[in-house]
Amino acid sequence: MSAPGMPAVVDREAFQAQLDELRTREKAHTREGDAIAAARRRLPMVEVDAGIELVGPRGPVTLLDAFEGRRQLILYYFMWHPGHPAAEQCEGCTWCATSVAELSYLHSRDITYAVVCQGPEEEGRRYHDFMGWEMPWYSAQGSLDELLVGREVGMMHLVCYLRDGDRVFETYWTTRRGVEAMDYSYALMDLTAYGRQEPWEDSPPGWPQGWTGTCARLRTDGRPIPQWSRIAAGRSDDLGG
């Protein structure tokens, strides 16, 4: 007998038997993911203007410049609330941007990763510095309609590009839950007995699900969760807006 909100307690043999059954499904899920990735590699692409302007710490650059000489580019489009303080900036985008820290593995495959702020360069740069991020960071406030043609400007997007000489092509994009590809925290939570602890999940009765299913799930005490360690370290969150 197990306590409420706890998995059943069984012997090692019974535990392993059910884990083996689940492993079959996990392997099928992995193979399907590989097949989807293979289909993604076979998508056509669309040319975009390589000269579209981004603004970096030293002024205007082009989309082509953002490749930093590499063959491929991944851009994360960070939602922004102009003039709002750091505590009111997008918790979801903060979660995504914080999750991608080590870039050397991407660079080894000739891929550059950068974040594009959908707001003013100065405000975004101050936020970038407050958070202690090291990834390349640009503002694309004046070029979003060109970069996100036909899509919802202001929404988080993850977009992949390929360079052929001085020509630039868009090869893939996703948004909403598609950007979970950037995250490891949720992937690890999904391995645990209680999962993400959010009410939309299919969990047994009594399982803790105290985290809201809204964007508030990525906040504590009025701020995006990872801001608190920066505040504790004495960093300024003044965005100058």
Side-chain angles (χ1 to χ4, degrees):
M1 180 69 70
S2 299
M6 297 280 287
V9 178
V10 297
D11 60 27
R12 171 63 63 174
E13 183 178 4
F15 168 73
Q16 192 61 46
Q18 292 200 42
L19 182 58
D20 289 343
E21 184 178 339
L22 179 65
R23 192 79 74 216
T24 299
R25 297 177 62 188
E26 288 181 333
K27 289 181 179 179
H29 178 72
T30 298
R31 287 192 292 270
E32 178 62 13
D34 291 341
I36 291 171
R40 191 180 292 119
R41 291 191 292 273
R42 288 164 173 77
L43 286 172
M45 60 186 183
V46 60
E47 188 164 7
V48 297
D49 181 0
I52 293 175
E53 184 177 281
L54 307 174
V55 181
R58 289 177 292 278
V61 298
T62 66
L63 179 61
L64 181 63
D65 292 330
F67 280 77
E68 297 181 344
R70 298 185 181 90
R71 188 76 189 276
Q72 298 186 86
L73 172 66
I74 300 173
L75 290 184
Y76 178 74
Y77 287 78
F78 196 110
M79 298 167 62
W80 195 257
H81 305 297
H84 289 235
E88 296 178 9
Q89 295 303 330
C90 180
E91 59 284 318
C93 291
T94 301
W95 155 64
C96 289
T98 303
S99 297
V100 183
E102 179 56 64
L103 302 182
S104 61
Y105 296 106
L106 292 173
H107 294 171
S108 74
R109 302 300 197 273
D110 211 16
I111 301 168
T112 293
Y113 166 80
V115 173
V116 171
C117 179
Q118 300 184 59
E121 199 282 331
E122 182 178 359
E123 289 183 18
R125 177 65 49 185
R126 285 172 177 256
Y127 194 71
H128 171 275
D129 294 345
F130 161 58
M131 294 300 299
W133 293 330
E134 297 182 358
M135 83 290 269
W137 179 283
Y138 304 97
S139 169
Q141 188 177 28
S143 304
L144 292 170
D145 288 336
E146 292 179 89
L147 288 164
L148 298 176
V149 58
R151 284 160 280 185
E152 184 180 354
V153 171
M155 175 61 64
M156 61 175 67
H157 291 87
L158 190 62
V159 186
C160 298
Y161 302 91
L162 177 67
R163 179 176 66 85
D164 183 18
D166 291 339
R167 300 174 70 188
V168 173
F169 302 87
E170 184 178 325
T171 62
Y172 177 76
W173 71 272
T174 188
T175 188
R176 301 186 187 276
R177 287 198 66 183
V179 304
E180 287 186 14
M182 302 173 66
D183 174 61
Y184 61 89
S185 297
Y186 269 166
L188 291 174
M189 290 179 197
D190 286 341
L191 301 180
T192 69
Y194 292 148
R196 305 183 186 192
Q197 301 172 48
E198 297 174 9
W200 63 269
E201 290 180 287
D202 181 4
S203 294
W207 256 230
Q209 292 185 318
W211 287 86
T212 174
T214 69
C215 288
R217 72 191 186 280
L218 300 173
R219 289 180 170 268
T220 56
D221 298 329
R223 283 183 178 271
I225 293 169
Q227 286 190 9
W228 286 111
S229 60
R230 279 72 174 178
I231 293 292
R235 296 181 187 167
S236 171
D237 67 347
D238 179 10
L239 304 185

